[in-house]
Amino acid sequence: MFVARSIAADHRDLIHDVCYDFHGRRLATCSSDQSVKVWDKSETGEWMCTASWKTHSGSVWRVTWAHPEFGQVLASCSFDRTAAVWEEVVGESNDKKKGLCHWIKRTTLVDSRTSVTDVKFAPKHMGLILTTCSADGVVRIYEALDVMNISQWSMQQEISCKPSCSCISWNPSSSRAHAPMIAVGSDASSAAYSGRVHIYEYSEHTRKYTKAETLMTVTDPVRDLAFAPNLGRSFHLLAVATNDVRIFKLMPMRSEAMPSCSTTKLEVHILAQFDSHNSQVWRVTWNITSTLLASSGDDGCVRLWKANYMGNWKCTAILRGDGCPLNRACTQSAAPSTAVPYQHTLLPSSLAGRRNFS
Amino acid sequence: MEEVDVEPTTTPIPGVDSKQKHLGFVWGPGDILVYETIYKASGVSSGGCPFVHEVRKDEDIYSPILRKLFNESHHIFVGLQGVKEDLPSKNKKPQFVSISKNYRSVIRACMEELQQNAVSTQDATLATQYGNQVSILLAVELIWNLCEVLFIDAAPAGSLLLHLLDWVRLHKADVDEKARDVLQSESPTEHQAYWDVVISYVLQGRMDEARQVLMKQAALQPAARAMFKLLDNLLIKMPIFNPSGSQTLTEFDVKWRHWHEEVDRCLQDQSFASNPHLEVICKILVGDEDVLLDHKELLSTWYHFLVTRLLFSQPTVKPTELHYYAQSSMHMFLDTRSVPEPLDSIVLAAFEFDIHQVIKDCSIALNNWWFVAHLTDLLHHCKLLQSHNLHFGSNLREFLLLEYASGLFTHHSLWQLAVDYFDHCPEFGRVYLELQIERVPLDTERKALKVLRICEQRQMTEQVRSICKIMAKGALRNNRLGSALSWSIRAKDAAFATLISERFLQDYCANGAFSDLDLIDNLGPAMLLSDRLTFLGKYREFHRLYGEKCFLDAAKLLLSLMTAKIAPQSFWMTLLTDALPLLEQKEVIFSADQTHELMFCLEELTSEKSLPKPDATMQDEDIETTKIEILRLALARNLAMAIVKEGTVEV
């Protein structure tokens, strides 16, 4: 792996989140400088900032794109206790000539009384549904009443996950066999609560989300979690970032006696557990086909994990800061290196390209 | 299976202090973005984040020359998948060998092009990059060729050695270059590399060429003519197995032993004692291992040593015996201190017939999946993975193909090749394709149609719907109503089609003309997707009829739009206004009954409208009232005319 290009992001404060759009041609970044920036990839592969605007009156924690079926839509959440939905509109004809697009706030979701820690769109087959979770431990599920006019959102449900929520993840499975499912992680540090990951499942019967499972083995604060793409499997994979990286296998055990009227019982197995970060882990994310899992931890590294065809997981790559403190000289040297020549390893001499295969 | 502990590679990210800060990341297509951040909420501003870094995994697919390798091997791959399962394996073998050769010739062609580029380029870093790629391809071809000989062709004793000799000759071709230098020099025999060339030829079993070079020396030394003649004779007489001849292996063996004894006798007789060079050659012929090992420089690799050693001591070696000679040759050749290179281990594993180890080591050693994926697939087709009792054989193939194809999918044009690879992965190919193809950027309509066709061919209905929906949404955003409408019809998205039809009608009301007439005129049955779309289509038909002066049909259609409730009531006023010119025609067009119905429609409309709209201005209302009065007048006059006409008997 090699750094192919560095993008001058130009946020005035820490970047908290970067999100690719569905096709990987656009980026959204958000920062403590209260702004969100949108970047578009040019023909030559350069990233150009096409919009930058103040979105909140506090640090923006997360930013996420809706599926392009719903248009060019972003959601952001912030320390200012709100989440917001933004839509890009093409300007009037004279604007369009200049290629100017602008982002319009379609709604502000003000139900939370504390910092909104995560915001996620539900899988597209469910419609345009947005979920937020907040530091006071409430998960809120909103639905756009009319996908053609996304300024109207109604709250479908409020789920209490006391004492605090840090992250949410939708199960992406669109199989009819799987009811909509959402996992919620808590970063509560008090030992009074047991289990930091809760799984909620939608019941057609009650039209509500109810708790299907709590992962009791996760007892330390959870900072992030991520369902893997389903790949047509009968079970689900959930990666959890806590004081280590864990991968859980959730096997639905549908009871024969009560089909569809009760929530599915889940059989939970732990598939892998990595403590290589040797510390708190903050983020976990799967790649598109869930063949790779990436995690970031207190050791300042991003680690990539890969399973071989026998299902054994291994760390295959580490990304680590070069330790060079941020100063003029350093960033200047980093900036022009848009195409660092990559030294291919000579096979007969040294072998550096690694594959986790064994 | 033995675990090889491979340490993960560490990639340094410039300008990030991992001790103080965290490294944030996000997955992208084919890359991963990283940026400096702090996850612990501190509330203290920690300064700006100047950079987001794009970290890429594999740059091979971006090389235009390697792209040819991917393209051409894709054809071979697809052809291989078509090899009939039911053919008897005996008939399939030559086919598989020829496929294997095709793969190798693609590698060779690619290698040559890289080589040329490496020489011609002015850019030093680029030259090194090309050079590195060449050396990788060289190694790949070397391994592939060996696998072809040992596994795919599976040559029996006798032929086996001939194939191995070809293999060595092909990959140690610098002898010919050196020979050319020597023979083209002013006095070849004086050339410092003269004897190296002779011996190299002998080591590769190229006796005719060795003799030709030797002749130059013989001609200069008339005194030693007998001695040269003797060696020449030994070289001529060396028996070479002919697999297509009538000779049996035993006959060959006997003949070869006789020759070997003869060489040995010459050595005992000290026939060559006066010329150390000729004596060395004779000792090589007799298979003297110490002498062979004295020529490590010329052999350059342990596997060359192995093949030469077999040539002069075990020409009828059986496949099952190979591993023994390979191991001992490697130990004899390599320094006891030096650790075998990965390539050495891979070649040794091949000689040990450990296919799985070969694939595994190659996966670790090589930077891309191209080689392992294609080789494993070919071995799978040869039914070699099962016969080695690897019950997960087919999964291994699929695992590697999926990895390779997923890599291709990150490329803006190579993704189309990946589709065929996914098609031939029975277990997860379909799901992978679904996940990957919906993320192909739909930059242009043409590209969208290309993606769409692939999905349609595979009945991927959800992806088809989604792509059309995305295109429709994008077109609407850019105010391209016609395109938006045709995409939403393709997506069978009724709600969206209604919305767009609405926009068309609004535009008509505003401008008095329709855009995208072609599309609307040719809706056909697609019109039935939504009520509003049906109305749009019919309403446009009315205009067409009116334009073609088919007034009777136009009038009938117009009326039916209202009476059959196809038109939304909000649009009735416009329709009634459209009826005005028909009412004003000299000819009576609306019959008395039809006029009654029109009047009824107007009354229905005005009675509901009796409450004044709060937001309507006085002026608007005035216009509205005037319009209604004009309509009433026209209707009444038409009714009178119609009654008169219908009451009149034509004579």
Side-chain angles (χ1 to χ4, degrees):
Chain A
M1 308 210 10
F2 65 110
V3 176
R5 160 180 292 129
S6 299
I7 308 152
D10 205 28
H11 273 290
R12 291 190 309 279
D13 207 332
L14 273 183
I15 296 177
H16 290 293
D17 199 14
V18 175
C19 188
Y20 262 106
D21 80 331
F22 187 72
H23 290 121
R25 299 304 300 261
R26 314 192 83 184
L27 277 178
T29 56
C30 67
S31 156
S32 264
D33 69 7
Q34 310 184 350
S35 75
V36 165
K37 286 175 195 268
V38 172
W39 306 76
D40 283 84
K41 204 172 198 170
S42 72
E43 295 276 313
T44 54
E46 304 287 331
W47 287 103
M48 325 279 268
C49 182
T50 53
S52 172
W53 72 100
K54 184 178 185 304
T55 46
H56 289 274
S57 53
S59 288
V60 189
W61 299 134
R62 300 248 197 177
V63 63
T64 188
W65 293 87
H67 192 279
E69 275 184 26
F70 304 109
Q72 296 297 309
V73 178
L74 279 173
S76 58
C77 69
S78 162
F79 182 72
D80 73 1
R81 307 176 188 180
T82 66
V85 177
W86 309 86
E87 186 172 27
E88 188 185 38
V89 291
V90 179
E92 294 306 307
S93 54
N94 51 342
D95 272 358
K96 211 160 69 180
K97 267 189 216 130
K98 289 177 238 155
L100 281 182
C101 293
H102 48 269
W103 289 81
I104 290 178
K105 187 193 271 189
R106 291 301 186 197
T107 193
T108 308
L109 305 169
V110 294
D111 304 284
S112 173
R113 280 172 293 277
T114 54
S115 174
V116 182
T117 49
D118 199 357
V119 62
K120 293 276 161 68
F121 284 102
K124 70 159 194 296
H125 65 270
M126 293 169 57
L128 189 53
I129 288 176
L130 189 68
T131 335
T132 63
C133 73
S134 52
D136 60 357
V138 184
V139 173
R140 293 181 177 87
I141 299 171
Y142 300 90
E143 183 170 14
L145 297 175
D146 175 7
V147 295
M148 303 298 173
N149 167 20
I150 60 166
S151 46
Q152 303 287 318
W153 293 77
S154 75
M155 191 168 14
Q156 280 191 324
Q157 197 178 343
E158 249 182 358
I159 308 169
S160 171
C161 299
K162 303 280 182 208
S164 69
C165 295
S166 53
C167 49
I168 39 188
S169 174
W170 282 95
N171 184 344
S173 172
S174 60
S175 158
R176 279 169 206 282
H178 301 140
M181 184 186 278
I182 185 167
V184 183
S186 167
D187 58 357
S189 46
S190 153
Y193 300 92
S194 58
R196 294 290 188 276
V197 176
H198 306 289
I199 315 278
Y200 292 86
E201 200 187 48
Y202 185 72
S203 157
E204 282 292 340
H205 189 66
T206 59
R207 298 178 173 275
K208 287 278 170 214
Y209 287 85
T210 44
K211 196 185 280 183
E213 192 62 56
T214 299
L215 305 186
M216 298 306 285
T217 55
V218 184
T219 52
D220 291 296
V222 167
R223 311 294 182 177
D224 198 11
L225 34 72
F227 272 107
N230 183 267
L231 298 182
R233 295 177 292 226
S234 58
F235 57 88
H236 313 294
L237 286 185
L238 180 69
V240 176
T242 170
N243 59 346
D244 51 18
V245 178
R246 290 183 211 181
I247 302 173
F248 290 95
K249 174 180 172 181
L250 309 175
M251 179 65 111
M253 310 290 285
R254 201 166 280 285
S255 63
E256 297 295 323
M258 292 181 290
S260 79
C261 65
S262 71
T263 43
T264 323
K265 185 93 191 81
L266 293 170
E267 206 178 88
V268 181
H269 298 282
I270 185 152
L271 281 191
Q273 190 164 6
F274 321 118
D275 54 7
S276 316
H277 284 292
N278 228 335
S279 53
Q280 179 70 54
V281 183
W282 293 88
R283 284 286 174 102
V284 282
T285 318
W286 299 92
N287 69 346
I288 293 175
T289 48
S290 71
T291 49
L292 281 165
L293 177 73
S295 63
S296 175
D298 263 346
D299 58 353
C301 296
V302 172
R303 288 169 193 272
L304 305 189
W305 310 91
K306 179 160 181 58
N308 67 8
Y309 65 101
M310 308 278 280
N312 299 324
W313 289 86
K314 263 195 171 178
C315 181
T316 60
I318 301 168
L319 309 178
R320 186 194 307 252
D322 64 0
C324 175
L326 276 175
N327 59 41
R328 275 276 153 228
C330 183
T331 53
Q332 296 249 313
S333 70
S337 65
T338 45
V340 180
Y342 176 57
Q343 291 300 311
H344 225 304
T345 52
L346 266 157
L347 180 74
S349 50
S350 79
L351 293 157
R354 310 294 184 184
R355 299 281 191 234
N356 175 24
F357 181 80
S358 48
Chain B
M1 189 162 61
E2 203 185 328
E3 287 275 312
V4 180
D5 226 0
V6 190
E7 280 301 306
T9 48
T10 301
T11 308
I13 306 301
V16 179
D17 185 359
S18 277
K19 287 194 188 70
Q20 309 283 321
K21 307 265 179 92
H22 292 126
L23 205 52
F25 69 92
V26 62
W27 282 110
D31 55 19
I32 186 166
L33 296 187
V34 293
Y35 52 94
E36 188 178 74
T37 189
I38 298 177
Y39 286 120
K40 289 186 191 93
S42 60
V44 186
S45 173
S46 324
C49 280
F51 290 102
V52 174
H53 305 281
E54 201 176 313
V55 182
R56 245 188 236 160
K57 204 174 92 187
D58 198 339
E59 98 295 16
D60 273 356
I61 57 169
Y62 297 97
S63 148
I65 301 163
L66 289 181
R67 206 172 297 165
K68 284 186 194 158
L69 175 73
F70 302 139
N71 268 312
E72 288 176 29
S73 52
H74 164 257
H75 289 298
I76 306 174
F77 172 84
V78 171
L80 173 58
Q81 310 310 308
V83 172
K84 293 275 177 298
E85 275 290 322
D86 48 352
L87 279 176
S89 59
K90 203 172 64 190
N91 302 359
K92 272 195 274 189
K93 197 164 107 178
Q95 218 171 337
F96 289 141
V97 172
S98 107
I99 286 170
S100 175
K101 289 204 163 109
N102 288 344
Y103 274 129
R104 285 202 292 120
S105 72
V106 171
I107 303 176
R108 289 236 148 225
C110 199
M111 208 152 55
E112 274 157 29
E113 198 177 339
L114 279 168
Q115 195 100 57
Q116 279 164 13
N117 279 283
V119 174
S120 63
T121 183
Q122 301 294 320
D123 186 339
T125 49
L126 210 57
T128 347
Q129 196 191 325
Y130 286 142
N132 289 337
Q133 286 174 341
V134 167
S135 61
I136 288 178
L137 287 183
L138 264 172
V140 159
E141 211 268 336
L142 174 94
I143 300 166
W144 192 304
N145 193 356
L146 183 60
C147 290
E148 180 184 302
V149 169
L150 296 177
F151 308 142
I152 301 165
D153 203 2
S159 316
L160 176 63
L161 183 69
L162 298 177
H163 281 119
L164 289 176
L165 274 172
D166 285 340
W167 173 64
V168 159
R169 287 169 192 160
L170 188 63
H171 293 95
K172 187 84 177 79
D174 58 342
V175 187
D176 298 291
E177 223 168 286
K178 235 193 276 174
R180 215 175 307 126
D181 282 353
V182 168
L183 294 174
Q184 284 170 356
S185 67
E186 281 183 20
S187 54
T189 50
E190 300 290 302
H191 198 285
Q192 52 163 358
Y194 176 82
W195 287 107
D196 281 354
V197 168
V198 177
I199 292 174
S200 294
Y201 276 139
V202 173
L203 289 172
Q204 293 194 358
R206 296 160 73 170
M207 301 313 181
D208 291 342
E209 284 143 300
R211 284 174 48 226
Q212 269 177 22
V213 183
L214 263 178
M215 221 92 88
K216 306 256 173 204
Q217 189 79 318
L220 291 177
Q221 299 189 25
R225 181 174 291 164
M227 194 165 57
F228 275 99
K229 184 75 196 154
L230 180 63
L231 185 65
D232 195 50
N233 238 325
L234 290 179
L235 291 174
I236 292 178
K237 282 203 286 186
M238 180 177 181
I240 301 292
F241 181 68
N242 179 6
S244 54
S246 56
Q247 187 185 40
T248 66
L249 196 60
T250 335
E251 283 164 3
F252 165 72
D253 197 37
V254 171
K255 214 173 150 196
W256 185 82
R257 276 175 202 289
H258 279 301
W259 173 81
H260 195 258
E261 277 161 24
E262 194 184 336
V263 179
D264 203 30
R265 254 196 321 274
C266 292
L267 215 52
Q268 304 298 328
D269 296 349
Q270 307 245 316
S271 306
F272 301 107
S274 59
N275 188 327
H277 290 300
L278 298 191
E279 184 155 45
V280 162
I281 294 174
C282 192
K283 281 184 176 166
I284 291 173
L285 294 184
V286 86
D288 186 324
E289 282 165 1
D290 292 332
V291 175
L292 287 178
L293 286 172
D294 286 342
H295 294 92
K296 274 189 193 176
E297 292 271 312
L298 297 181
L299 290 165
S300 79
T301 58
W302 66 268
Y303 34 89
H304 190 341
F305 169 62
L306 162 71
V307 176
T308 306
R309 188 179 158 210
L310 291 171
L311 174 67
F312 297 116
S313 60
Q314 287 292 334
T316 58
V317 66
K318 294 191 193 97
T320 47
E321 299 163 346
L322 264 183
H323 70 101
Y324 161 75
Y325 293 106
Q327 281 158 0
S328 62
S329 297
M330 190 167 108
H331 290 137
M332 285 160 79
F333 191 87
L334 293 182
D335 239 311
T336 39
R337 285 163 299 155
S338 69
V339 186
E341 299 282 349
L343 182 61
D344 295 324
S345 326
I346 293 168
V347 171
L348 181 64
F351 280 123
E352 288 168 342
F353 283 83
D354 191 343
I355 295 181
H356 195 245
Q357 192 70 35
V358 172
I359 295 169
K360 196 172 89 172
D361 287 356
C362 288
S363 313
I364 296 168
L366 294 166
N367 238 322
N368 86 54
W369 298 98
W370 179 87
F371 170 60
V372 272
H374 287 93
L375 180 66
T376 308
D377 175 58
L378 180 57
L379 295 175
H380 168 82
H381 280 272
C382 297
K383 304 253 183 279
L384 283 164
L385 295 176
Q386 283 90 338
S387 68
H388 283 255
N389 291 328
L390 305 175
H391 60 93
F392 39 76
S394 69
N395 287 348
L396 172 64
R397 168 189 174 271
E398 179 156 327
F399 175 86
L400 296 171
L401 286 178
L402 289 173
E403 288 288 346
Y404 172 63
S406 299
L408 289 181
F409 239 105
T410 62
H411 190 271
H412 63 88
S413 67
L414 290 174
W415 65 269
Q416 294 166 77
L417 304 180
V419 174
D420 286 313
Y421 288 90
F422 283 140
D423 279 348
H424 290 101
C425 292
E427 206 178 339
F428 287 114
R430 167 93 182 191
V431 194
Y432 268 62
L433 182 58
E434 285 173 358
L435 285 172
Q436 298 276 11
I437 202 152
E438 58 184 15
R439 290 185 186 259
V440 172
L442 307 169
D443 307 321
T444 58
E445 295 240 335
R446 229 180 107 224
K447 192 158 176 199
L449 287 169
K450 194 182 268 177
V451 178
L452 200 63
R453 194 162 50 243
I454 291 170
C455 294
E456 281 170 348
Q457 280 162 357
R458 288 160 184 78
Q459 279 92 46
M460 290 160 58
T461 44
E462 171 48 29
Q463 280 70 25
V464 168
R465 192 201 57 75
S466 186
I467 290 164
C468 296
K469 183 76 201 268
I470 293 168
M471 292 307 289
K473 190 85 191 179
L476 181 66
R477 224 165 65 88
N478 291 303
N479 261 316
R480 289 184 292 112
L481 288 186
S483 171
L485 181 59
S486 62
W487 281 111
S488 60
I489 289 170
R490 264 190 112 136
K492 300 196 175 55
D493 186 337
F496 209 66
T498 301
L499 184 98
I500 297 164
S501 308
E502 204 79 64
R503 287 281 298 273
F504 265 110
L505 295 169
Q506 274 168 21
D507 281 8
Y508 171 75
C509 291
N511 312 321
F514 283 109
S515 55
D516 302 282
L517 285 181
D518 257 9
L519 175 72
I520 303 172
D521 282 346
N522 296 299
L523 281 173
M527 201 190 280
L528 301 173
L529 179 62
S530 96
D531 289 349
R532 201 55 41 90
L533 183 61
T534 315
F535 171 63
L536 174 66
K538 290 284 175 199
Y539 185 52
R540 163 61 198 150
E541 199 179 322
F542 159 74
H543 278 270
R544 198 169 46 79
L545 289 171
Y546 185 84
E548 290 164 6
K549 303 213 183 307
C550 305
F551 294 134
L552 284 173
D553 290 338
K556 210 172 128 192
L557 180 59
L558 187 70
L559 185 60
S560 73
L561 286 177
M562 283 180 282
T563 52
K565 308 275 181 216
I566 296 169
Q569 217 169 44
S570 60
F571 213 78
W572 283 19
M573 196 40 121
T574 313
L575 293 180
L576 288 167
T577 319
D578 284 331
L580 261 179
L582 291 170
L583 295 169
E584 300 292 344
Q585 291 286 326
K586 273 188 198 139
E587 290 290 312
V588 176
I589 291 160
F590 286 104
S591 69
D593 285 350
Q594 284 176 325
T595 315
H596 273 300
E597 280 186 283
L598 279 176
M599 290 170 125
F600 182 75
C601 290
L602 182 62
E603 286 320 303
E604 196 176 322
L605 198 61
T606 46
S607 65
E608 272 173 32
K609 276 209 177 147
S610 56
L611 294 170
K613 278 190 244 163
D615 53 345
T617 62
M618 285 294 277
Q619 204 184 358
D620 277 351
E621 273 189 45
D622 277 351
I623 293 171
E624 196 78 341
T625 324
T626 321
K627 225 188 227 173
I628 292 169
E629 274 167 18
I630 293 171
L631 266 172
R632 284 199 174 122
L633 183 62
L635 284 167
R637 274 168 37 186
N638 189 71
L639 183 63
M641 280 162 70
I643 291 169
V644 170
K645 189 187 169 207
E646 283 159 28
T648 312
V649 182
E650 301 261 344
V651 250

